[in-house]
Amino acid sequence: MTGVLVLAALPEEVGPTRARLRRRARLRGTPNIQGWTGTLAQVPVTLALTGAGAANARTAMTRLLSDRPTPALVVVIGLGGGLDPRLRAADLVIGAHVMNGDGASRRVAHAQWLARAERATGGVPGTIATVDQLVGTAAEKRVLVRRLCTQLDAEGLPWGAVDLETWWCVEQAAEQGIPWVALRAISDAAQDDLPAPLSTCRDAQGGIDRRRVVLGAVRQPGSVPGLVRLAWRTRRCAQVLADALERLIASRPSLLPLGRVGRLP
């Protein structure tokens, strides 16, 4: 096993990371997946875009693991909605636990990789919940936390972020015994609502239909300032993710596997 496979859903999440890749080249040999290869902190890195939502994440992860050499580490990066009211925009959450949104199962990060990520990035360990549809309002985030706490008896878990892809990437990595780290930068805090067009313009995968967002902004001009603020936070979060990823990789340049991850009962 060699190198690092870095996964994100959208190009807006990886701009600064892509710019930092040395000897960057287009990803080849994996059809229909946009990505790049190069080195970061002198470590071979494959940076790939899965697309938004569960179906896209599952398909991309399957292809990447079957078509390319097995990586020594999988890192899932991207934006997430905050679930803990203490988290603010651009705070970094490290997935101590990753669970699917129906509460059926969860994965726990390997303790050594989690500790290394916390030391290297300064992020906050927390639970990342992956859901099927965008959770766009403060009320929806509170309902999600209450439901998962009830289903999983998970009152003691530190809540971190909600997203659409992490579980599907982490699950496949764990099934193949590949260590993983999940990093989510908070785009909208627990008490924040996303701008109205984002909450109503969802596509079949649960992500954002950008064409409908533009049309929604035209129809609801009062939403434009919120969309502009979100765009600014997205750029800030992408920078936070690039910094964290580079520090994580630089902290262990040999990237020898530290162990396997497990499923919590």
Side-chain angles (χ1 to χ4, degrees), residues 53-78:
N56 287 328
R58 282 197 303 264
T59 299
M61 191 65 174
T62 299
R63 289 176 178 167
L64 287 162
L65 291 181
S66 62
D67 294 349
R68 305 190 63 79
T70 302
L73 177 68
V74 168
V75 184
V76 185
I77 66 173

Side-chain angles (χ1 to χ4, degrees), residues 5-8 74-78 163 165-166 169-170 181-184:
L5 174 60
V6 180
L7 302 162
V74 168
V75 184
V76 185
I77 66 173
D163 80 313
E165 301 87 21
T166 299
C169 298
V170 160
V181 174
L183 304 175
R184 288 283 165 182

Side-chain angles (χ1 to χ4, degrees), residues 83-84 86 96-99 106-108 125-128 145 148-149 152-160 264:
L83 295 179
D84 185 331
R86 294 170 294 184
H97 305 87
V98 175
M99 62 177 62
R106 50 186 157 140
R107 288 283 181 181
V108 54
T127 297
I128 296 174
V145 170
L148 291 176
C149 283
L152 299 171
D153 190 23
E155 291 288 353
L157 292 179
W159 291 102
L264 287 176

Side-chain angles (χ1 to χ4, degrees), residues 211-233:
R211 184 184 64 84
R212 292 173 62 192
V213 170
V214 173
L215 293 175
V218 171
R219 297 190 186 103
Q220 299 174 275
S223 67
V224 171
L227 290 169
V228 171
R229 286 192 296 271
L230 181 62
W232 180 85
R233 289 200 302 267

